[in-house]
Amino acid sequence: MLIMTPSSTWPFQSPLAHEAASAVIRDRSTNRQDIREASLQGLNLASARDVLDLGCGFGFMAETLAMRVAEDAKVVGVDVWPDNEEAFRERIAPSGRQGEFRCLSVDSTLPWPDRSFDLVVCSYSLYFFPKVIPDIARILREKGVLLAITHSERSVEGQLPAAGLADAACELVTLARQFSAENGREKLAGSFGTIRRIDYHNSLRFRPEHREDLYAYLRFKLPLLIPNAKPGDELPDELTGFIKRLLASRGEVVIGKDDAIFQCRDPLCH
Ligand SMILES: C[S@@+](CC[C@H](N)C(=O)[O-])C[C@H]1O[C@@H](n2cnc3c(N)ncnc32)[C@H](O)[C@@H]1O
């Protein structure tokens, strides 16, 4: 089956490239607490048996979750890019939990019956498909939880000048505005009775010796930053020139990366 994939998802078709960018984020983050650990604070998932990870990518979040859910749990990962299947399964395997992968383009409805899941996770993905929020409430059990991690749109907007792209009409900002730290509560309020927001303050710092890391990170994000750019394209000379000048004059490039976590309970369709 051919799935239409918008250019905003192109960076994620290669799990290896995505894992490499994720490693740069981890290494260059000023906040040393793992966002996955931060997102789980206060949640007891020991009895969660049916778990759904929407927009699972290479299984970054599922890996941590799988260790916390019931021993006989099944973790279903959904992603629009089929090559994520193997990486997703490999990340779950050490936990001994059962993993299942579905290649699906999520929009507004999900192919599961009412009350199918104890936990639904959207880690940096709900901004691709915010229309599905009411249907997530439908497929959650009464005591079920939606856990969503997303960006601060102000922080994303601030990334552009930091990367020399102040005028870019880029996908990244459009995406972030679809479900962000700033508007997430409002978007969730019609579907969940209890919503807890946890702010995760962070920035990425690159000194001259980290220049190749910064280039790799920006190359990965290029289709989200510059119209018509494709995965693997080289960075434009203006951008690399801007970064070199910034590193020379200020000694570092700082990219804001504030995120927010939403823990949502009491799905309102019950
Ligand atoms: C920023 S990545 C996050 C991946 C993973 N959850 C994590 O935390 O690392 C977003 C993921 O959502 C997937 N995605 C985007 N739009 C989608 C859609 N409509 N249906 C299913 N997956 C989608 C992308 O392919 C990508 O793997």
Side-chain angles (χ1 to χ4, degrees), residues 6 8-10 12-13 18 22 53-61 78-81 84 104-107 122-125 127-129 149 151:
S8 55
T9 72
W10 289 354
F12 310 107
Q13 58 190 295
H18 191 181
S22 195
D53 183 352
L54 292 175
C56 63
F58 63 83
F60 171 78
M61 188 66 198
V78 170
D79 205 279
V80 71
W81 290 107
N84 282 304
L104 196 68
S105 180
V106 177
D107 183 27
C122 300
S123 166
Y124 302 110
S125 57
Y127 39 75
F128 287 103
F129 37 75
I149 303 177
H151 302 298

PDB file of all heavy atoms in Angstrom, residues 6 8-10 12-13 18 22 53-61 78-81 84 104-107 122-125 127-129 149 151, ligand 1:
ATOM      1  N   PRO A   6       3.758  13.618   3.769  1.00  0.00           N
ATOM      2  CA  PRO A   6       4.122  15.022   3.599  1.00  0.00           C
ATOM      3  C   PRO A   6       5.615  15.238   3.857  1.00  0.00           C
ATOM      4  O   PRO A   6       6.234  14.479   4.621  1.00  0.00           O
ATOM      5  CB  PRO A   6       3.257  15.746   4.637  1.00  0.00           C
ATOM      6  CG  PRO A   6       2.719  14.712   5.531  1.00  0.00           C
ATOM      7  CD  PRO A   6       2.827  13.380   4.866  1.00  0.00           C
ATOM      8  N   SER A   8       7.100  17.160   5.672  1.00  0.00           N
ATOM      9  CA  SER A   8       7.459  17.367   7.081  1.00  0.00           C
ATOM     10  C   SER A   8       7.876  16.062   7.756  1.00  0.00           C
ATOM     11  O   SER A   8       8.527  16.091   8.803  1.00  0.00           O
ATOM     12  CB  SER A   8       6.285  17.994   7.838  1.00  0.00           C
ATOM     13  OG  SER A   8       5.138  17.203   7.687  1.00  0.00           O
ATOM     14  N   THR A   9       7.497  14.918   7.178  1.00  0.00           N
ATOM     15  CA  THR A   9       7.891  13.645   7.815  1.00  0.00           C
ATOM     16  C   THR A   9       9.147  13.051   7.174  1.00  0.00           C
ATOM     17  O   THR A   9       9.655  12.037   7.649  1.00  0.00           O
ATOM     18  CB  THR A   9       6.765  12.582   7.724  1.00  0.00           C
ATOM     19  OG1 THR A   9       6.656  12.128   6.375  1.00  0.00           O
ATOM     20  CG2 THR A   9       5.429  13.118   8.200  1.00  0.00           C
ATOM     21  N   TRP A  10       9.647  13.644   6.094  1.00  0.00           N
ATOM     22  CA  TRP A  10      10.773  13.042   5.376  1.00  0.00           C
ATOM     23  C   TRP A  10      12.004  12.769   6.231  1.00  0.00           C
ATOM     24  O   TRP A  10      12.658  11.742   6.048  1.00  0.00           O
ATOM     25  CB  TRP A  10      11.175  13.916   4.177  1.00  0.00           C
ATOM     26  CG  TRP A  10      10.172  13.873   3.065  1.00  0.00           C
ATOM     27  CD1 TRP A  10       9.057  13.078   2.975  1.00  0.00           C
ATOM     28  CD2 TRP A  10      10.176  14.684   1.888  1.00  0.00           C
ATOM     29  NE1 TRP A  10       8.371  13.351   1.823  1.00  0.00           N
ATOM     30  CE2 TRP A  10       9.036  14.332   1.129  1.00  0.00           C
ATOM     31  CE3 TRP A  10      11.023  15.688   1.404  1.00  0.00           C
ATOM     32  CZ2 TRP A  10       8.733  14.937  -0.085  1.00  0.00           C
ATOM     33  CZ3 TRP A  10      10.722  16.283   0.190  1.00  0.00           C
ATOM     34  CH2 TRP A  10       9.596  15.901  -0.550  1.00  0.00           C
ATOM     35  N   PHE A  12      12.272  11.533   8.920  1.00  0.00           N
ATOM     36  CA  PHE A  12      12.130  10.382   9.817  1.00  0.00           C
ATOM     37  C   PHE A  12      12.066   9.037   9.101  1.00  0.00           C
ATOM     38  O   PHE A  12      11.823   8.017   9.713  1.00  0.00           O
ATOM     39  CB  PHE A  12      10.893  10.582  10.707  1.00  0.00           C
ATOM     40  CG  PHE A  12      10.891  11.926  11.357  1.00  0.00           C
ATOM     41  CD1 PHE A  12      10.028  12.924  10.949  1.00  0.00           C
ATOM     42  CD2 PHE A  12      11.803  12.206  12.352  1.00  0.00           C
ATOM     43  CE1 PHE A  12      10.062  14.180  11.522  1.00  0.00           C
ATOM     44  CE2 PHE A  12      11.854  13.459  12.938  1.00  0.00           C
ATOM     45  CZ  PHE A  12      10.978  14.457  12.524  1.00  0.00           C
ATOM     46  N   GLN A  13      12.298   9.064   7.769  1.00  0.00           N
ATOM     47  CA  GLN A  13      12.190   7.790   7.056  1.00  0.00           C
ATOM     48  C   GLN A  13      13.395   6.895   7.316  1.00  0.00           C
ATOM     49  O   GLN A  13      13.309   5.684   7.157  1.00  0.00           O
ATOM     50  CB  GLN A  13      11.970   7.997   5.571  1.00  0.00           C
ATOM     51  CG  GLN A  13      13.039   8.796   4.861  1.00  0.00           C
ATOM     52  CD  GLN A  13      12.614   9.158   3.451  1.00  0.00           C
ATOM     53  OE1 GLN A  13      12.452   8.283   2.616  1.00  0.00           O
ATOM     54  NE2 GLN A  13      12.388  10.426   3.204  1.00  0.00           N
ATOM     55  N   HIS A  18      17.792   9.434  12.077  1.00  0.00           N
ATOM     56  CA  HIS A  18      16.999   9.966  13.185  1.00  0.00           C
ATOM     57  C   HIS A  18      17.702   9.677  14.524  1.00  0.00           C
ATOM     58  O   HIS A  18      17.803  10.549  15.390  1.00  0.00           O
ATOM     59  CB  HIS A  18      15.609   9.321  13.136  1.00  0.00           C
ATOM     60  CG  HIS A  18      14.600   9.947  14.048  1.00  0.00           C
ATOM     61  ND1 HIS A  18      13.317   9.486  14.149  1.00  0.00           N
ATOM     62  CD2 HIS A  18      14.684  10.970  14.926  1.00  0.00           C
ATOM     63  CE1 HIS A  18      12.659  10.222  15.028  1.00  0.00           C
ATOM     64  NE2 HIS A  18      13.459  11.122  15.512  1.00  0.00           N
ATOM     65  N   SER A  22      19.132  12.367  17.221  1.00  0.00           N
ATOM     66  CA  SER A  22      18.693  12.235  18.611  1.00  0.00           C
ATOM     67  C   SER A  22      19.908  12.205  19.555  1.00  0.00           C
ATOM     68  O   SER A  22      19.890  12.792  20.651  1.00  0.00           O
ATOM     69  CB  SER A  22      17.887  10.940  18.696  1.00  0.00           C
ATOM     70  OG  SER A  22      17.163  10.859  19.840  1.00  0.00           O
ATOM     71  N   ASP A  53       1.972   3.618  20.896  1.00  0.00           N
ATOM     72  CA  ASP A  53       2.934   4.708  20.693  1.00  0.00           C
ATOM     73  C   ASP A  53       2.705   5.252  19.281  1.00  0.00           C
ATOM     74  O   ASP A  53       3.100   4.631  18.286  1.00  0.00           O
ATOM     75  CB  ASP A  53       4.351   4.134  20.856  1.00  0.00           C
ATOM     76  CG  ASP A  53       5.438   5.196  20.749  1.00  0.00           C
ATOM     77  OD1 ASP A  53       5.136   6.350  20.392  1.00  0.00           O
ATOM     78  OD2 ASP A  53       6.613   4.850  21.017  1.00  0.00           O
ATOM     79  N   LEU A  54       2.043   6.409  19.200  1.00  0.00           N
ATOM     80  CA  LEU A  54       1.692   6.983  17.893  1.00  0.00           C
ATOM     81  C   LEU A  54       2.825   7.874  17.390  1.00  0.00           C
ATOM     82  O   LEU A  54       3.216   8.806  18.082  1.00  0.00           O
ATOM     83  CB  LEU A  54       0.402   7.806  18.004  1.00  0.00           C
ATOM     84  CG  LEU A  54      -0.885   7.042  18.278  1.00  0.00           C
ATOM     85  CD1 LEU A  54      -2.056   8.005  18.488  1.00  0.00           C
ATOM     86  CD2 LEU A  54      -1.203   6.073  17.144  1.00  0.00           C
ATOM     87  N   GLY A  55       3.303   7.598  16.181  1.00  0.00           N
ATOM     88  CA  GLY A  55       4.469   8.325  15.660  1.00  0.00           C
ATOM     89  C   GLY A  55       5.702   7.854  16.412  1.00  0.00           C
ATOM     90  O   GLY A  55       6.471   8.638  16.949  1.00  0.00           O
ATOM     91  N   CYS A  56       5.899   6.524  16.439  1.00  0.00           N
ATOM     92  CA  CYS A  56       6.905   5.920  17.335  1.00  0.00           C
ATOM     93  C   CYS A  56       8.330   6.121  16.845  1.00  0.00           C
ATOM     94  O   CYS A  56       9.273   5.994  17.626  1.00  0.00           O
ATOM     95  CB  CYS A  56       6.618   4.438  17.514  1.00  0.00           C
ATOM     96  SG  CYS A  56       6.730   3.500  15.968  1.00  0.00           S
ATOM     97  N   GLY A  57       8.519   6.419  15.542  1.00  0.00           N
ATOM     98  CA  GLY A  57       9.874   6.542  15.013  1.00  0.00           C
ATOM     99  C   GLY A  57      10.681   5.286  15.299  1.00  0.00           C
ATOM    100  O   GLY A  57      10.169   4.160  15.194  1.00  0.00           O
ATOM    101  N   PHE A  58      11.944   5.460  15.705  1.00  0.00           N
ATOM    102  CA  PHE A  58      12.812   4.294  15.922  1.00  0.00           C
ATOM    103  C   PHE A  58      12.635   3.694  17.315  1.00  0.00           C
ATOM    104  O   PHE A  58      13.394   2.818  17.722  1.00  0.00           O
ATOM    105  CB  PHE A  58      14.276   4.661  15.667  1.00  0.00           C
ATOM    106  CG  PHE A  58      14.836   5.705  16.597  1.00  0.00           C
ATOM    107  CD1 PHE A  58      15.315   5.346  17.859  1.00  0.00           C
ATOM    108  CD2 PHE A  58      14.887   7.038  16.232  1.00  0.00           C
ATOM    109  CE1 PHE A  58      15.830   6.298  18.728  1.00  0.00           C
ATOM    110  CE2 PHE A  58      15.409   8.000  17.095  1.00  0.00           C
ATOM    111  CZ  PHE A  58      15.875   7.631  18.349  1.00  0.00           C
ATOM    112  N   GLY A  59      11.632   4.172  18.070  1.00  0.00           N
ATOM    113  CA  GLY A  59      11.326   3.543  19.354  1.00  0.00           C
ATOM    114  C   GLY A  59      11.994   4.206  20.546  1.00  0.00           C
ATOM    115  O   GLY A  59      12.112   3.611  21.622  1.00  0.00           O
ATOM    116  N   PHE A  60      12.383   5.474  20.384  1.00  0.00           N
ATOM    117  CA  PHE A  60      13.062   6.233  21.452  1.00  0.00           C
ATOM    118  C   PHE A  60      12.263   6.199  22.753  1.00  0.00           C
ATOM    119  O   PHE A  60      12.773   5.868  23.821  1.00  0.00           O
ATOM    120  CB  PHE A  60      13.242   7.675  20.939  1.00  0.00           C
ATOM    121  CG  PHE A  60      13.727   8.676  21.938  1.00  0.00           C
ATOM    122  CD1 PHE A  60      15.063   8.728  22.294  1.00  0.00           C
ATOM    123  CD2 PHE A  60      12.855   9.593  22.503  1.00  0.00           C
ATOM    124  CE1 PHE A  60      15.513   9.679  23.196  1.00  0.00           C
ATOM    125  CE2 PHE A  60      13.301  10.541  23.410  1.00  0.00           C
ATOM    126  CZ  PHE A  60      14.630  10.583  23.762  1.00  0.00           C
ATOM    127  N   MET A  61      10.973   6.523  22.669  1.00  0.00           N
ATOM    128  CA  MET A  61      10.136   6.581  23.871  1.00  0.00           C
ATOM    129  C   MET A  61       9.711   5.176  24.308  1.00  0.00           C
ATOM    130  O   MET A  61       9.668   4.862  25.501  1.00  0.00           O
ATOM    131  CB  MET A  61       8.904   7.448  23.564  1.00  0.00           C
ATOM    132  CG  MET A  61       8.052   7.753  24.757  1.00  0.00           C
ATOM    133  SD  MET A  61       8.942   8.807  25.924  1.00  0.00           S
ATOM    134  CE  MET A  61       7.964   8.554  27.389  1.00  0.00           C
ATOM    135  N   VAL A  78       3.193   2.831  16.015  1.00  0.00           N
ATOM    136  CA  VAL A  78       2.601   3.228  14.729  1.00  0.00           C
ATOM    137  C   VAL A  78       3.491   4.296  14.112  1.00  0.00           C
ATOM    138  O   VAL A  78       3.847   5.263  14.779  1.00  0.00           O
ATOM    139  CB  VAL A  78       1.186   3.818  14.949  1.00  0.00           C
ATOM    140  CG1 VAL A  78       0.671   4.462  13.671  1.00  0.00           C
ATOM    141  CG2 VAL A  78       0.227   2.747  15.438  1.00  0.00           C
ATOM    142  N   ASP A  79       3.844   4.104  12.853  1.00  0.00           N
ATOM    143  CA  ASP A  79       4.577   5.165  12.159  1.00  0.00           C
ATOM    144  C   ASP A  79       4.270   5.101  10.667  1.00  0.00           C
ATOM    145  O   ASP A  79       3.948   4.042  10.126  1.00  0.00           O
ATOM    146  CB  ASP A  79       6.088   5.052  12.384  1.00  0.00           C
ATOM    147  CG  ASP A  79       6.766   6.406  12.225  1.00  0.00           C
ATOM    148  OD1 ASP A  79       7.028   6.816  11.072  1.00  0.00           O
ATOM    149  OD2 ASP A  79       6.992   7.084  13.248  1.00  0.00           O
ATOM    150  N   VAL A  80       4.374   6.263  10.044  1.00  0.00           N
ATOM    151  CA  VAL A  80       4.070   6.345   8.620  1.00  0.00           C
ATOM    152  C   VAL A  80       5.221   5.765   7.780  1.00  0.00           C
ATOM    153  O   VAL A  80       5.009   5.394   6.626  1.00  0.00           O
ATOM    154  CB  VAL A  80       3.760   7.825   8.266  1.00  0.00           C
ATOM    155  CG1 VAL A  80       5.003   8.673   8.308  1.00  0.00           C
ATOM    156  CG2 VAL A  80       3.035   7.961   6.965  1.00  0.00           C
ATOM    157  N   TRP A  81       6.420   5.662   8.379  1.00  0.00           N
ATOM    158  CA  TRP A  81       7.573   5.155   7.620  1.00  0.00           C
ATOM    159  C   TRP A  81       7.870   3.716   8.023  1.00  0.00           C
ATOM    160  O   TRP A  81       8.237   3.457   9.171  1.00  0.00           O
ATOM    161  CB  TRP A  81       8.806   6.032   7.850  1.00  0.00           C
ATOM    162  CG  TRP A  81       8.679   7.377   7.210  1.00  0.00           C
ATOM    163  CD1 TRP A  81       8.463   8.565   7.829  1.00  0.00           C
ATOM    164  CD2 TRP A  81       8.722   7.659   5.804  1.00  0.00           C
ATOM    165  NE1 TRP A  81       8.377   9.573   6.908  1.00  0.00           N
ATOM    166  CE2 TRP A  81       8.531   9.053   5.655  1.00  0.00           C
ATOM    167  CE3 TRP A  81       8.897   6.895   4.648  1.00  0.00           C
ATOM    168  CZ2 TRP A  81       8.516   9.680   4.399  1.00  0.00           C
ATOM    169  CZ3 TRP A  81       8.881   7.520   3.407  1.00  0.00           C
ATOM    170  CH2 TRP A  81       8.703   8.898   3.295  1.00  0.00           C
ATOM    171  N   ASN A  84      10.956   2.034  10.100  1.00  0.00           N
ATOM    172  CA  ASN A  84      11.099   2.139  11.556  1.00  0.00           C
ATOM    173  C   ASN A  84      10.794   0.827  12.272  1.00  0.00           C
ATOM    174  O   ASN A  84      11.120   0.681  13.452  1.00  0.00           O
ATOM    175  CB  ASN A  84      10.185   3.240  12.094  1.00  0.00           C
ATOM    176  CG  ASN A  84      10.760   4.622  11.848  1.00  0.00           C
ATOM    177  OD1 ASN A  84      11.881   4.902  12.253  1.00  0.00           O
ATOM    178  ND2 ASN A  84      10.021   5.471  11.154  1.00  0.00           N
ATOM    179  N   LEU A 104       1.121   3.133   9.371  1.00  0.00           N
ATOM    180  CA  LEU A 104      -0.181   3.783   9.249  1.00  0.00           C
ATOM    181  C   LEU A 104       0.038   5.285   9.215  1.00  0.00           C
ATOM    182  O   LEU A 104       0.888   5.801   9.922  1.00  0.00           O
ATOM    183  CB  LEU A 104      -0.940   3.419  10.519  1.00  0.00           C
ATOM    184  CG  LEU A 104      -2.430   3.599  10.630  1.00  0.00           C
ATOM    185  CD1 LEU A 104      -3.120   2.613   9.701  1.00  0.00           C
ATOM    186  CD2 LEU A 104      -2.863   3.313  12.072  1.00  0.00           C
ATOM    187  N   SER A 105      -0.748   5.979   8.390  1.00  0.00           N
ATOM    188  CA  SER A 105      -0.701   7.442   8.416  1.00  0.00           C
ATOM    189  C   SER A 105      -1.858   7.925   9.291  1.00  0.00           C
ATOM    190  O   SER A 105      -3.024   7.854   8.907  1.00  0.00           O
ATOM    191  CB  SER A 105      -0.837   7.988   6.996  1.00  0.00           C
ATOM    192  OG  SER A 105      -0.798   9.389   7.043  1.00  0.00           O
ATOM    193  N   VAL A 106      -1.531   8.389  10.477  1.00  0.00           N
ATOM    194  CA  VAL A 106      -2.569   8.817  11.425  1.00  0.00           C
ATOM    195  C   VAL A 106      -3.155  10.147  10.967  1.00  0.00           C
ATOM    196  O   VAL A 106      -2.420  11.053  10.564  1.00  0.00           O
ATOM    197  CB  VAL A 106      -1.964   8.970  12.846  1.00  0.00           C
ATOM    198  CG1 VAL A 106      -3.005   9.491  13.829  1.00  0.00           C
ATOM    199  CG2 VAL A 106      -1.378   7.655  13.315  1.00  0.00           C
ATOM    200  N   ASP A 107      -4.484  10.238  11.025  1.00  0.00           N
ATOM    201  CA  ASP A 107      -5.123  11.519  10.711  1.00  0.00           C
ATOM    202  C   ASP A 107      -6.093  11.861  11.845  1.00  0.00           C
ATOM    203  O   ASP A 107      -5.681  12.361  12.884  1.00  0.00           O
ATOM    204  CB  ASP A 107      -5.800  11.446   9.341  1.00  0.00           C
ATOM    205  CG  ASP A 107      -6.407  12.781   8.960  1.00  0.00           C
ATOM    206  OD1 ASP A 107      -5.906  13.818   9.430  1.00  0.00           O
ATOM    207  OD2 ASP A 107      -7.400  12.800   8.214  1.00  0.00           O
ATOM    208  N   CYS A 122       2.358   9.989  22.659  1.00  0.00           N
ATOM    209  CA  CYS A 122       2.710  10.745  21.447  1.00  0.00           C
ATOM    210  C   CYS A 122       3.934  11.574  21.805  1.00  0.00           C
ATOM    211  O   CYS A 122       3.803  12.660  22.388  1.00  0.00           O
ATOM    212  CB  CYS A 122       1.580  11.669  21.005  1.00  0.00           C
ATOM    213  SG  CYS A 122       0.050  10.825  20.613  1.00  0.00           S
ATOM    214  N   SER A 123       5.095  11.054  21.491  1.00  0.00           N
ATOM    215  CA  SER A 123       6.329  11.741  21.852  1.00  0.00           C
ATOM    216  C   SER A 123       6.819  12.523  20.636  1.00  0.00           C
ATOM    217  O   SER A 123       7.238  11.916  19.637  1.00  0.00           O
ATOM    218  CB  SER A 123       7.347  10.690  22.319  1.00  0.00           C
ATOM    219  OG  SER A 123       8.632  11.211  22.373  1.00  0.00           O
ATOM    220  N   TYR A 124       6.729  13.838  20.687  1.00  0.00           N
ATOM    221  CA  TYR A 124       7.087  14.720  19.566  1.00  0.00           C
ATOM    222  C   TYR A 124       6.368  14.302  18.288  1.00  0.00           C
ATOM    223  O   TYR A 124       6.968  14.258  17.211  1.00  0.00           O
ATOM    224  CB  TYR A 124       8.611  14.718  19.332  1.00  0.00           C
ATOM    225  CG  TYR A 124       9.424  15.138  20.522  1.00  0.00           C
ATOM    226  CD1 TYR A 124      10.204  14.221  21.217  1.00  0.00           C
ATOM    227  CD2 TYR A 124       9.404  16.451  20.961  1.00  0.00           C
ATOM    228  CE1 TYR A 124      10.960  14.604  22.320  1.00  0.00           C
ATOM    229  CE2 TYR A 124      10.157  16.844  22.058  1.00  0.00           C
ATOM    230  CZ  TYR A 124      10.932  15.912  22.731  1.00  0.00           C
ATOM    231  OH  TYR A 124      11.684  16.298  23.819  1.00  0.00           O
ATOM    232  N   SER A 125       5.105  13.984  18.387  1.00  0.00           N
ATOM    233  CA  SER A 125       4.389  13.536  17.177  1.00  0.00           C
ATOM    234  C   SER A 125       2.983  14.099  17.056  1.00  0.00           C
ATOM    235  O   SER A 125       2.459  14.178  15.939  1.00  0.00           O
ATOM    236  CB  SER A 125       4.328  11.997  17.141  1.00  0.00           C
ATOM    237  OG  SER A 125       3.709  11.498  18.301  1.00  0.00           O
ATOM    238  N   TYR A 127       1.801  16.949  17.004  1.00  0.00           N
ATOM    239  CA  TYR A 127       1.663  18.119  16.117  1.00  0.00           C
ATOM    240  C   TYR A 127       1.526  17.709  14.649  1.00  0.00           C
ATOM    241  O   TYR A 127       1.125  18.526  13.824  1.00  0.00           O
ATOM    242  CB  TYR A 127       2.794  19.145  16.293  1.00  0.00           C
ATOM    243  CG  TYR A 127       4.180  18.580  16.506  1.00  0.00           C
ATOM    244  CD1 TYR A 127       4.901  18.028  15.463  1.00  0.00           C
ATOM    245  CD2 TYR A 127       4.771  18.625  17.769  1.00  0.00           C
ATOM    246  CE1 TYR A 127       6.175  17.520  15.663  1.00  0.00           C
ATOM    247  CE2 TYR A 127       6.047  18.116  17.980  1.00  0.00           C
ATOM    248  CZ  TYR A 127       6.739  17.558  16.915  1.00  0.00           C
ATOM    249  OH  TYR A 127       7.993  17.048  17.117  1.00  0.00           O
ATOM    250  N   PHE A 128       1.837  16.466  14.319  1.00  0.00           N
ATOM    251  CA  PHE A 128       1.596  16.000  12.948  1.00  0.00           C
ATOM    252  C   PHE A 128       0.118  15.655  12.731  1.00  0.00           C
ATOM    253  O   PHE A 128      -0.360  15.662  11.607  1.00  0.00           O
ATOM    254  CB  PHE A 128       2.420  14.741  12.640  1.00  0.00           C
ATOM    255  CG  PHE A 128       3.887  14.984  12.466  1.00  0.00           C
ATOM    256  CD1 PHE A 128       4.778  14.663  13.475  1.00  0.00           C
ATOM    257  CD2 PHE A 128       4.393  15.531  11.294  1.00  0.00           C
ATOM    258  CE1 PHE A 128       6.142  14.862  13.314  1.00  0.00           C
ATOM    259  CE2 PHE A 128       5.750  15.740  11.122  1.00  0.00           C
ATOM    260  CZ  PHE A 128       6.623  15.405  12.139  1.00  0.00           C
ATOM    261  N   PHE A 129      -0.566  15.258  13.822  1.00  0.00           N
ATOM    262  CA  PHE A 129      -1.945  14.778  13.662  1.00  0.00           C
ATOM    263  C   PHE A 129      -2.833  15.174  14.855  1.00  0.00           C
ATOM    264  O   PHE A 129      -3.445  14.318  15.502  1.00  0.00           O
ATOM    265  CB  PHE A 129      -1.985  13.254  13.429  1.00  0.00           C
ATOM    266  CG  PHE A 129      -0.954  12.463  14.213  1.00  0.00           C
ATOM    267  CD1 PHE A 129      -1.101  12.224  15.566  1.00  0.00           C
ATOM    268  CD2 PHE A 129       0.174  11.938  13.580  1.00  0.00           C
ATOM    269  CE1 PHE A 129      -0.172  11.492  16.281  1.00  0.00           C
ATOM    270  CE2 PHE A 129       1.135  11.213  14.302  1.00  0.00           C
ATOM    271  CZ  PHE A 129       0.955  10.976  15.640  1.00  0.00           C
ATOM    272  N   ILE A 149       4.453  14.564  24.518  1.00  0.00           N
ATOM    273  CA  ILE A 149       5.612  15.451  24.660  1.00  0.00           C
ATOM    274  C   ILE A 149       5.653  16.322  23.415  1.00  0.00           C
ATOM    275  O   ILE A 149       5.498  15.822  22.297  1.00  0.00           O
ATOM    276  CB  ILE A 149       6.935  14.657  24.752  1.00  0.00           C
ATOM    277  CG1 ILE A 149       6.891  13.664  25.904  1.00  0.00           C
ATOM    278  CG2 ILE A 149       8.123  15.602  24.897  1.00  0.00           C
ATOM    279  CD1 ILE A 149       8.143  12.789  26.021  1.00  0.00           C
ATOM    280  N   HIS A 151       6.956  20.485  21.609  1.00  0.00           N
ATOM    281  CA  HIS A 151       7.864  21.632  21.666  1.00  0.00           C
ATOM    282  C   HIS A 151       7.136  22.884  22.153  1.00  0.00           C
ATOM    283  O   HIS A 151       5.923  23.010  21.984  1.00  0.00           O
ATOM    284  CB  HIS A 151       8.414  21.935  20.272  1.00  0.00           C
ATOM    285  CG  HIS A 151       9.133  20.790  19.637  1.00  0.00           C
ATOM    286  ND1 HIS A 151      10.271  20.237  20.170  1.00  0.00           N
ATOM    287  CD2 HIS A 151       8.884  20.092  18.513  1.00  0.00           C
ATOM    288  CE1 HIS A 151      10.685  19.257  19.405  1.00  0.00           C
ATOM    289  NE2 HIS A 151       9.857  19.140  18.388  1.00  0.00           N
TER     290      HIS A 151
HETATM  291  C1  LIG B   1       9.741  13.797  15.731  1.00  0.00           C
HETATM  292  S1  LIG B   1       9.502  12.100  15.374  1.00  0.00           S
HETATM  293  C2  LIG B   1       9.288  11.411  17.002  1.00  0.00           C
HETATM  294  C3  LIG B   1       9.553   9.939  17.057  1.00  0.00           C
HETATM  295  C4  LIG B   1       9.489   9.301  18.441  1.00  0.00           C
HETATM  296  N1  LIG B   1       8.154   9.333  18.992  1.00  0.00           N
HETATM  297  C5  LIG B   1      10.474   9.964  19.367  1.00  0.00           C
HETATM  298  O1  LIG B   1      10.078  10.476  20.411  1.00  0.00           O
HETATM  299  O2  LIG B   1      11.675   9.971  19.033  1.00  0.00           O
HETATM  300  C6  LIG B   1       7.846  12.045  14.735  1.00  0.00           C
HETATM  301  C7  LIG B   1       7.459  10.685  14.170  1.00  0.00           C
HETATM  302  O3  LIG B   1       6.079  10.735  13.776  1.00  0.00           O
HETATM  303  C8  LIG B   1       5.944  10.073  12.518  1.00  0.00           C
HETATM  304  N2  LIG B   1       4.755  10.614  11.848  1.00  0.00           N
HETATM  305  C9  LIG B   1       4.577  11.868  11.377  1.00  0.00           C
HETATM  306  N3  LIG B   1       3.337  12.009  10.856  1.00  0.00           N
HETATM  307  C10 LIG B   1       2.723  10.804  10.999  1.00  0.00           C
HETATM  308  C11 LIG B   1       1.425  10.316  10.678  1.00  0.00           C
HETATM  309  N4  LIG B   1       0.515  11.089  10.113  1.00  0.00           N
HETATM  310  N5  LIG B   1       1.126   9.032  10.985  1.00  0.00           N
HETATM  311  C12 LIG B   1       2.041   8.237  11.594  1.00  0.00           C
HETATM  312  N6  LIG B   1       3.283   8.640  11.917  1.00  0.00           N
HETATM  313  C13 LIG B   1       3.634   9.910  11.637  1.00  0.00           C
HETATM  314  C14 LIG B   1       7.245  10.396  11.796  1.00  0.00           C
HETATM  315  O4  LIG B   1       7.504   9.505  10.744  1.00  0.00           O
HETATM  316  C15 LIG B   1       8.257  10.315  12.927  1.00  0.00           C
HETATM  317  O5  LIG B   1       8.788   9.024  13.080  1.00  0.00           O
END
